[in-house]
Amino acid sequence: MPRRLTIVLALLTSLLALPAHAQSAFSLEAELLKPGVRLVAVEFYSTHCKPCMDAVPRWEALHQKYRDKGLRLLVVAVMDDQKCVNPGWHPDRVICDDEGQLAQSMQVNGLPAAFLWSWTGRQLVERGDVASVTAAIERELATLPRVALQVEPGGPSAALVRAELSRSGKLEVVASAAEKKLLDDVRRESQKAGYAENTQCKLGEELAANSVLKVSVDGGRDPRLYLHLMSAEKGCVTAVGAAPWQASRPEQSVAAAVTELLERLRTPPQMSGPAPRPVTKQPFGGSKVEAAKSVETEELEETVVKFASTPAASVHLGDKMLCKSTPCQKSVPLGKQNLTMSAEDYVTRTESLNVTKATKLVDWPLQADFATLSLTCGGETVNVKVDGESMSCPLQAQRLKPGKHRVVLESACFLGVEEAFEVKRGDVKTLALTVTPRLGVVTVKAQNDAGDDLTGTALLDGQPLGEVPGSFKVPVCGKQLEVRSDGHASWSAPLKVAEGEKVRVVAALQKRVAERPVATAVASGPTAAVTQEQVNAAKALGKGVFRDNGDGTVSQTDVGLVWQQADSDAARDWQAAFAYCAGLDLRGGGWRLPAIPELVRLIDGNGVNGAFANSAEVFWSASPWVSGGYAWAVFFVSGSSYIYNATHAYRVRCVQ
């Protein structure tokens, strides 16, 4: 006996009335909100519908194939002779549609009829069949948004954020190895596109196939956790989730921020528009239902019209939605029709349109119902509130409703600034606000091991403050204080000072141990400790002889070395500099961090050789100082070499 016939006979012999709990009310939004659900399919089914019966094995196979990937499949059993029958397998839910009320509300006037929605509320299939639903599921899962995490220090761990996103099941979080590559790709592409982190993506756009979730905590008096989901393709912010930050209970803050982020990504579920009126149709079943659901069989005079607009907009014909977003193509009855196009932040446009057979395109521009605000803060990155909503400065083309607005800059590092203004529709408002750092005072004194006073130089976060001993006004958000004195190892320590506070610091510097000068590079290898005398000997050899290879590398022909032409494009601490060179995939790999006697030969008093792309000032070498915790670096602008704390972050140029 053929397998299909066996399945159908088994189905017909097993049809039973469903229990009362299967007849509970249907809520599409509740189904989409369930954890792990990415797609919801609804099939309207009746035993009197032969195509429905023939499709039973295909629906069951589809459910088994994709349920672990987020598909939730619901079967609506349309009443058959006043009996609600089971389809013969186990979908996620069977709904008994008493006398076809649900079918009527969704404009189902014939079977088979199936629908599909994504978890964001987009309708992917409208009154289709198992084939169209299968194709749409495969397309949607193939373009499922992949999210890489970019977690800033001071907030939750990446593992905690990843776990919460995985629990929701709505977004695909890529593994950490892939995250690094994706983030590098995003940086490169966004720089080409003029990326601005605070630029909002167009409303109604689908989620990007690749996105970056930036996780950060805004300090201040009322710390908040922010999740910025940014499109890798377009370099704009898709949505933002925020929650009060509780360092002692980070899992609660992360859960609340993820919940808000997902809410902002969702839209009200798109429901079907009017169903076309067919000449013939497959009936629902029993006579009472069929009589209640009968549809006129005459064919209406219609024409297919393509709708377009700038920007994308929803289209309504009278009080019925034709499509959620333009461009779209729909059948429209001939004659005079009231057409409306609307988009958020734009003026709704309604006109009476005489639709004829010649009407093929309706393309309307919509007038902006907003002004834009661009804001700079003197080159500083500070937190800003626009009408009470937290954002980041600088802002570029931030949309505002016409009317009065207030901008407030609040920061633990800077004095508050406030600006009130009024804008009209279409205005382009530009504000350049100057922020003033909150200051304290630090008095610095240096001594040697014997307690004798020394003279030297003080630096804060690598920037000179002045001569020691001395008193200096310093920003309260300064981090690392450093003191240098000739003949002594550099001293550094974290700096903590409140606004208006006076702090006294005594730096204890250790005298350097003199060693015999060496005229050549260190014999024991590029990671051996190097003295000042050895560095001077290497400089005395003069700048090397270089040749641009045209493949991102430069050969130093006098010693047989090959150099990376560009640099790391990001600052790293000393240990991370080694890892960067070891992982550099350029010309087959095999790169290392250069020793200080090698690195100093790239420069002279006029700076770095012209064969190199130079985008920074200070570069790490692989050579440690004779005392632990410090390493040599080269100041490429002046040609000087210095000893820095290994925890500082500088650029890297690798060598083979």
Side-chain angles (χ1 to χ4, degrees):
M1 181 179 293
R3 183 175 181 273
R4 172 175 288 188
L5 181 57
T6 302
I7 293 173
V8 172
L9 288 175
L11 172 62
L12 291 174
T13 57
S14 63
L15 294 176
L16 301 173
L18 292 169
H21 65 79
Q23 304 183 34
S24 56
F26 169 67
S27 168
L28 174 59
E29 188 163 4
E31 299 291 345
L32 295 173
L33 287 174
K34 293 181 182 296
V37 173
R38 291 171 175 166
L39 294 161
V40 171
V42 178
E43 182 217 4
F44 283 84
Y45 159 89
S46 171
T47 58
H48 290 275
C49 168
K50 186 178 184 304
C52 300
M53 298 293 291
D54 292 341
V56 165
R58 297 178 64 187
W59 281 111
E60 184 175 10
L62 180 69
H63 183 240
Q64 291 180 355
K65 183 177 181 179
Y66 291 115
R67 62 184 175 185
D68 292 339
K69 296 182 180 180
L71 172 64
R72 183 167 174 80
L73 202 159
L74 286 64
V75 172
V76 180
V78 181
M79 295 291 286
D80 289 319
D81 299 324
Q82 304 305 302
K83 293 180 181 179
C84 186
V85 293
N86 191 294
W89 59 287
H90 299 288
D92 292 300
R93 184 180 174 193
V94 177
I95 301 172
C96 296
D97 191 14
D98 185 22
E99 296 189 358
Q101 294 97 330
L102 181 56
Q104 185 179 21
S105 68
M106 296 180 67
Q107 302 291 334
V108 174
N109 57 21
L111 297 179
F115 300 78
L116 181 69
W117 289 269
S118 74
W119 70 270
T120 60
R122 288 185 301 115
Q123 188 174 59
L124 306 177
V125 175
E126 176 182 346
R127 287 182 287 271
D129 55 14
V130 65
S132 59
V133 170
T134 300
I137 289 174
E138 292 172 350
R139 286 195 304 270
E140 187 72 8
L141 293 180
T143 59
L144 188 68
R146 298 182 305 124
V147 178
L149 298 182
Q150 184 182 16
V151 182
E152 294 189 352
S157 67
L160 182 59
V161 178
R162 185 181 289 108
E164 184 62 28
L165 288 171
S166 299
R167 187 196 65 78
S168 72
K170 304 300 186 185
L171 301 174
E172 188 77 17
V173 183
V174 299
S176 55
E179 286 176 1
K180 181 178 183 301
K181 181 179 184 305
L182 179 57
L183 288 174
D184 289 340
D185 293 343
V186 172
R187 289 193 187 98
R188 285 194 294 270
E189 294 303 318
S190 62
Q191 287 170 359
K192 295 177 186 176
Y195 169 83
E197 182 180 306
N198 58 343
T199 301
Q200 181 69 39
C201 299
K202 288 184 178 179
L203 294 170
E205 286 188 335
E206 296 183 10
L207 290 177
N210 290 317
S211 299
V212 176
L213 185 63
K214 181 178 178 182
V215 183
S216 60
V217 171
D218 169 17
R221 300 174 183 174
D222 183 20
R224 293 181 67 79
L225 170 64
Y226 287 96
L227 306 179
H228 286 78
L229 186 65
M230 297 174 286
S231 165
E233 286 86 350
K234 299 186 178 180
C236 56
V237 176
T238 306
V240 180
W245 172 242
Q246 303 179 63
S248 60
R249 306 176 75 180
E251 64 283 349
Q252 291 194 0
S253 298
V254 171
V258 168
T259 298
E260 181 173 311
L261 177 69
L262 297 178
E263 287 177 353
R264 290 180 180 272
L265 291 173
R266 285 192 296 267
T267 58
Q270 181 183 358
M271 301 301 289
S272 303
R277 294 186 174 186
V279 176
T280 61
K281 68 181 182 68
Q282 171 70 37
F284 287 115
S287 58
K288 291 184 179 179
V289 176
E290 188 170 356
K293 291 296 179 185
S294 63
V295 179
E296 298 175 5
T297 58
E298 67 271 15
E299 183 177 2
L300 295 179
E301 284 291 322
E302 297 181 336
T303 188
V304 176
V305 179
K306 182 178 180 180
F307 296 95
S309 64
T310 305
S314 63
V315 182
H316 283 74
L317 194 66
D319 59 354
K320 300 285 182 75
M321 175 181 283
L322 284 184
C323 48
K324 185 177 181 181
S325 181
T326 56
C328 60
Q329 187 169 293
K330 295 291 181 179
S331 294
V332 180
L334 301 182
K336 284 192 175 182
Q337 306 293 340
N338 290 324
L339 185 69
T340 300
M341 288 191 186
S342 59
E344 187 172 354
D345 292 335
Y346 286 81
V347 179
T348 298
R349 182 171 175 177
T350 300
E351 293 187 16
S352 179
L353 185 68
N354 186 24
V355 180
T356 68
K357 288 287 187 180
T359 306
K360 301 300 181 185
L361 174 66
V362 176
D363 189 352
W364 288 354
L366 302 182
Q367 182 183 4
D369 191 24
F370 58 86
T372 59
L373 169 66
S374 294
L375 172 65
T376 59
C377 301
E380 302 290 348
T381 301
V382 299
N383 300 318
V384 60
K385 288 186 177 180
V386 179
D387 301 329
E389 182 179 356
S390 294
M391 301 179 186
S392 295
C393 188
L395 290 176
Q396 292 185 1
Q398 177 68 36
R399 291 184 180 181
L400 299 176
K401 289 290 186 183
K404 296 181 179 180
H405 300 275
R406 188 166 67 102
V407 172
V408 178
L409 272 58
E410 297 178 343
S411 172
C413 302
F414 300 92
L415 298 175
V417 179
E418 184 174 329
E419 182 86 11
F421 59 92
E422 185 173 0
V423 291
K424 299 177 182 178
R425 178 186 296 165
D427 283 354
V428 178
K429 181 69 174 180
T430 301
L431 289 178
L433 302 182
T434 301
V435 293
T436 304
R438 301 180 187 272
L439 300 177
V441 176
V442 59
T443 300
V444 183
K445 183 178 182 181
Q447 293 181 341
N448 60 18
D449 292 339
D452 300 325
D453 291 341
L454 298 173
T455 58
T457 303
L459 301 93
L460 182 62
D461 297 332
Q463 301 299 316
L465 285 176
E467 295 183 356
V468 173
S471 293
F472 314 100
K473 291 183 178 180
V474 295
V476 298
C477 289
K479 296 179 180 178
Q480 196 78 9
L481 178 66
E482 185 178 357
V483 179
R484 301 173 185 171
S485 180
D486 291 341
H488 293 76
S490 167
W491 173 95
S492 67
L495 178 65
K496 293 183 178 180
V497 58
E499 184 178 4
E501 183 183 12
K502 295 182 178 180
V503 176
R504 184 173 180 271
V505 174
V506 178
L509 278 66
Q510 296 181 345
K511 192 171 184 179
R512 292 175 183 159
V513 179
E515 294 194 12
R516 297 171 63 183
V518 178
T520 59
V522 181
S524 57
T527 58
V530 176
T531 66
Q532 181 68 60
E533 290 77 9
Q534 292 169 327
V535 176
N536 294 340
K539 287 183 177 180
L541 297 176
K543 186 183 294 187
V545 180
F546 302 98
R547 182 186 69 239
D548 188 340
N549 296 323
D551 61 354
T553 66
V554 176
S555 292
Q556 188 177 353
T557 58
D558 59 319
V559 292
L561 295 176
V562 178
W563 292 86
Q564 178 188 7
Q565 190 169 35
D567 59 45
S568 59
D569 79 13
R572 292 166 168 80
D573 64 31
W574 191 52
Q575 291 296 333
F578 284 94
Y580 169 78
C581 288
L584 181 61
D585 185 17
L586 176 65
R587 214 173 79 155
W591 297 87
R592 62 177 174 83
L593 194 62
I596 187 68
E598 297 169 329
L599 193 60
V600 295
R601 295 200 64 211
L602 300 187
I603 58 174
D604 58 18
N606 296 322
V608 69
N609 181 275
F612 294 92
N614 186 36
S615 60
E617 297 179 342
V618 182
F619 286 77
W620 276 123
S621 81
S623 304
W625 171 240
V626 292
S627 299
Y630 295 85
W632 285 95
V634 174
F635 194 69
F636 267 31
V637 175
S638 66
S640 302
S641 51
Y642 295 100
I643 302 162
Y644 290 101
N645 190 303
T647 61
H648 289 187
Y650 300 117
R651 295 290 183 94
V652 184
R653 175 168 280 125
C654 307
V655 69
Q656 285 183 332

